[in-house]
Amino acid sequence: MTLFRGSWRRRSAFITVAAAGALSVGLSATPAFAHTPTWTVTCSEVSLDLTAYGNSDKNTVSVTVDGKDLLPTTNFKNDFHKKLELPAHKTELKVHLSVKAADGDQFSKEDEKTAPVCEESTPPPSTATPTPSATPPKETPTPTPTGETSEPSKPSEPSESDSAPAVPSSQPSPAGDDLAETGSSSATPMIAGAAGVVLAAGAGIMWAARKRRSAQS
């Protein structure tokens, strides 16, 4: 009877210790799983999903982008869900999340992520098939009736005017009798005679003048 009581006491003590240990582990693990700060960052927005933070309005959350406020410090109870649009950017952005839990700093969260640059969407290449150009219809040759043959065309015979040689003209040119002018005319002898008379008269006058001078001396 004494042995049975002793074994029972040992079993009770073991069960008590095990239960206390399981309870302490459960209590310590519960707060860790209660607070769930989930957030994602894309090239264009920030999504916040904070759950199981208790009913205290002392919980706060804030988001900054390269040191500038994207979400100023905001109080919330238990849950907080929000999407924040990022400003247009050509370089990567540093996004910082700050969550302060009302039931202790050990449940607060400070985290930082990078927002990539959004790729510009390019239009897909055109897949339209070009319409082929219409081909003009070919001319169909006119068939020759059966039994008839086309005769080749005969060359035209030359006319008499084309074959006769050119005959030189027997009429003299109307300008053939004209002689080239040499500068002389029929009045030339008369002019020469008059000049001779003038010279003779001058010579006679000079001779008479000399004769008179010699006679006076």
Side-chain angles (χ1 to χ4, degrees):
M1 189 70 177
T2 304
L3 180 62
F4 176 76
R5 289 179 180 177
S7 61
W8 175 253
R9 289 176 181 176
R10 291 195 202 96
R11 289 178 182 177
S12 300
F14 178 77
I15 293 171
T16 302
V17 172
L23 181 61
S24 63
V25 171
L27 292 174
S28 62
T30 300
F33 288 102
H35 301 74
T36 308
T38 303
W39 72 306
T40 58
V41 177
T42 65
C43 69
S44 59
E45 66 178 14
V46 178
S47 298
L48 301 176
D49 292 294
L50 312 177
T51 59
Y53 273 83
N55 292 323
S56 175
D57 57 358
K58 300 293 182 66
N59 301 309
T60 62
V61 58
S62 63
V63 179
T64 59
V65 177
D66 287 346
K68 298 180 181 179
D69 286 339
L70 182 66
L71 175 67
T73 302
T74 304
N75 295 78
F76 69 95
K77 286 185 178 182
N78 199 38
D79 299 335
F80 184 84
H81 305 281
K82 193 174 184 64
K83 289 187 177 182
L84 307 171
E85 184 177 355
L86 289 171
H89 54 280
K90 296 183 179 180
T91 58
E92 294 182 347
L93 300 177
K94 297 296 183 182
V95 184
H96 184 82
L97 171 69
S98 178
V99 179
K100 302 293 185 181
D103 52 354
D105 292 340
Q106 68 272 21
F107 305 121
S108 299
K109 184 177 182 65
E110 299 288 336
D111 195 9
E112 187 173 86
K113 294 184 179 182
T114 302
V117 179
C118 294
E119 296 181 359
E120 296 181 359
S121 58
T122 56
S126 176
T127 57
T129 305
T131 305
S133 58
T135 305
K138 297 182 180 179
E139 297 182 358
T140 305
T142 306
T144 305
T146 307
E148 296 183 4
T149 56
S150 58
E151 296 181 358
S153 59
K154 296 181 181 180
S156 59
E157 296 180 355
S159 60
E160 295 180 357
S161 59
D162 295 339
S163 60
V167 179
S169 176
S170 59
Q171 297 180 357
S173 174
D177 297 336
D178 292 342
L179 298 177
E181 295 184 0
T182 57
S184 61
S185 63
S186 58
T188 300
M190 296 177 64
I191 296 174
V197 173
V198 172
L199 292 175
I205 293 173
M206 290 180 67
W207 180 80
R210 288 179 180 177
K211 193 79 172 169
R212 186 182 300 173
R213 288 177 183 173
S214 61
Q216 290 178 357
S217 59

